[in-house]
Amino acid sequence: HVQLVESGGGSVQAGGSLRLSCAISRDRYSSNCVTWFRQAPGKTREGVAAIYNRAGSTYYADSVKGRFTITQDNAKNTVYLQMNSLKPEDTAMYHCAAAPDGVSCSSAFPRSTRFPYWGQGTQVTVSS
């Protein structure tokens, strides 16, 4: 079983930066794809960035490439999402989610149905 807790959301002006954190509780030997999803009111959920803990391989949505960076600290079992050059359209509830043990990001990202474990979310609001 995997548990995730997000933190780091807030309000920022356009062009600013935020760093989200996702603290993960899981078996020390598990291999998981961890993904940041976001959903704004009235919009479909979007997979933003993913990282596979064993290989460190990363994946990004086109909408955030060059602005967002996903990283991990395996010692702290935490995944981060550094968000730079934020835009008003980045405003959304951000959730981190984990795929089952052994499922790679190349097969799971960005389909939310492949991720059974979810955190409670953290709100990001970008004003113009």
Side-chain angles (χ1 to χ4, degrees):
H1 189 65
V2 180
Q3 293 181 309
L4 308 103
V5 179
E6 303 96 332
S7 61
S11 297
V12 65
Q13 289 191 326
S17 299
L18 283 173
R19 189 179 79 157
L20 307 183
S21 300
C22 176
I24 306 167
S25 297
R26 60 184 163 189
D27 183 273
R28 61 186 294 184
Y29 299 111
S30 66
S31 300
N32 299 105
C33 173
V34 177
T35 293
W36 284 98
F37 288 91
R38 66 184 181 186
Q39 188 165 22
K43 296 189 177 180
T44 57
R45 182 177 290 161
E46 177 187 22
V48 173
I51 190 165
Y52 192 56
N53 68 320
R54 291 302 174 193
S57 46
T58 57
Y59 303 80
Y60 295 94
D62 288 342
S63 58
V64 304
K65 279 181 182 176
R67 300 189 299 122
F68 290 12
T69 304
I70 189 169
T71 58
Q72 61 185 2
D73 183 333
N74 287 331
K76 296 182 178 180
N77 239 347
T78 300
V79 170
Y80 302 98
L81 184 69
Q82 178 66 44
M83 305 185 295
N84 298 328
S85 302
L86 283 162
K87 304 175 182 179
E89 51 263 44
D90 294 317
T91 295
M93 181 69 76
Y94 284 71
H95 295 264
C96 62
D101 184 22
V103 175
S104 67
C105 290
S106 59
S107 63
F109 181 79
R111 293 172 288 175
S112 61
T113 54
R114 298 301 307 272
F115 294 82
Y117 308 110
W118 291 77
Q120 83 287 351
T122 186
Q123 178 68 36
V124 171
T125 302
V126 184
S127 58
S128 57

